[in-house]
Amino acid sequence: MISKHNASRTKKFDVYKSLKNSIQFLEIKPGSLINEAELVAKMGVSRTPIREALIRLSDEMLVDIFPQRGTYVSKIDIKLVKEMAYMRHVIETDILMNLCKEKADIGKLVDMNLHSMEYSVKTKDIIGYVKLDDEFHRLLFSYDNHEIIWDIIASTRMHYVRILMLDMSLPNSLEESYQDHRLIVDYIRKGDKKSLQQILDTHHDHDIMKREEDIKKIHSEYFV
């Protein structure tokens, strides 16, 4: 039987997770005012778990709380995103190059993930695709026994996810990203380290965000 304390803690986490997902998948747009009363009515909870979730999201730099003025979804900070992308690039490249050196058989779970990715591309399901992208890289980390490292990366990935959502909405972006994933798997299995290095340098896009200027022209109001 679930205790009242555990049930309360679960509800608080559900509120936090729901708000976090709404922000990172752009269901609530950067710069938007957050109306606590609307959230209370929508989620069927009191103001307390809403406020606690917003404080936690503020600590994660996803919302800005201004006393007497209101709470707003933080705008996208390109410098912050680039720093996180660079950290991920350095770590993931080392791990995947190690898998490539061993010509690792990275298994059916990755193939199933790619199959689901292909369906998301065909149906233009950007949120579904971005979730599968996260799962794809988590699986690769797990094959080299680095699940904990991926969890650490994932804990800050929501900032990168927001710009990835915008990037994937541009023409041909889903298709190009999907082909990158297929090539990454192919090069690892073949042990082709040179080709893998080349594609990781462009796929991670850690230096200059892919199509950054195009995204800013369309959504300038979303950025710091």
Side-chain angles (χ1 to χ4, degrees):
M1 183 176 180
I2 300 175
S3 69
K4 289 184 179 180
H5 174 73
N6 286 338
S8 175
R9 187 167 59 185
T10 299
K11 181 171 287 189
K12 289 178 182 177
F13 178 76
D14 288 344
V15 169
Y16 159 77
K17 187 176 180 181
S18 177
L19 284 173
K20 180 177 178 178
N21 283 340
S22 294
I23 292 171
Q24 72 173 337
F25 295 124
L26 302 183
E27 292 167 350
I28 305 177
K29 307 300 183 187
S32 298
L33 174 66
I34 294 177
N35 188 309
E36 287 188 19
E38 289 181 1
L39 291 176
V40 167
K42 180 180 178 180
M43 296 185 174
V45 296
S46 68
R47 284 184 180 268
T48 299
I50 297 290
R51 287 175 177 169
E52 290 179 353
L54 291 174
I55 290 171
R56 186 172 174 183
L57 292 167
S58 175
D59 291 339
E60 295 174 347
M61 297 182 288
L62 284 176
V63 303
D64 296 317
I65 299 174
F66 300 105
Q68 311 305 320
R69 287 174 51 197
T71 300
Y72 295 80
V73 176
S74 300
K75 292 190 175 184
I76 298 170
D77 185 336
I78 285 290
K79 185 177 186 301
L80 176 64
V81 172
K82 286 181 177 180
E83 287 290 286
M84 293 174 176
Y86 178 72
M87 176 184 70
R88 178 261 185 105
H89 169 72
V90 171
I91 296 171
E92 186 166 20
T93 296
D94 185 69
I95 288 171
L96 298 195
M97 292 302 287
N98 184 55
L99 290 174
C100 185
K101 182 175 65 176
E102 298 172 356
K103 296 184 180 180
D105 181 6
I106 50 182
K108 291 183 178 179
L109 288 176
V110 168
D111 291 331
M112 291 170 62
N113 176 278
L114 288 171
H115 180 73
S116 297
M117 269 190 183
E118 184 178 21
Y119 181 77
S120 292
V121 171
K122 289 179 179 177
T123 58
K124 304 297 182 183
D125 178 8
I126 296 174
I127 292 179
Y129 184 87
V130 170
K131 288 180 177 178
L132 287 165
D133 176 88
D134 185 88
E135 176 66 9
F136 174 86
H137 293 283
R138 186 192 69 78
L139 285 170
L140 294 182
F141 273 64
S142 71
Y143 280 115
D144 206 37
N145 297 311
H146 289 303
E147 297 95 332
I148 294 174
I149 294 178
W150 178 254
D151 287 343
I152 293 170
I153 291 173
S155 68
T156 59
R157 185 168 159 78
M158 58 275 190
H159 295 279
Y160 181 80
V161 166
R162 293 203 292 172
I163 198 165
L164 184 61
M165 288 288 298
L166 297 174
D167 189 18
M168 290 298 102
S169 68
L170 295 177
N172 302 316
S173 288
L174 282 172
E175 292 81 1
E176 290 173 10
S177 176
Y178 169 67
Q179 288 304 321
D180 280 358
H181 287 93
R182 293 200 66 89
L183 288 172
I184 287 169
V185 172
D186 187 47
Y187 294 147
I188 289 173
R189 287 173 172 164
K190 289 179 178 177
D192 187 344
K193 293 191 290 183
K194 182 179 179 180
S195 296
L196 179 62
Q197 181 69 63
Q198 289 174 343
I199 199 165
L200 290 178
D201 284 343
T202 57
H203 182 73
H204 288 158
D205 201 22
H206 60 90
D207 187 20
I208 300 175
M209 297 302 297
K210 189 177 183 181
R211 291 182 284 273
E212 177 185 340
E213 292 306 315
D214 290 339
I215 294 170
K216 283 185 174 180
K217 285 177 183 176
I218 299 170
H219 303 288
S220 60
E221 72 278 13
Y222 290 169
F223 293 87
V224 173

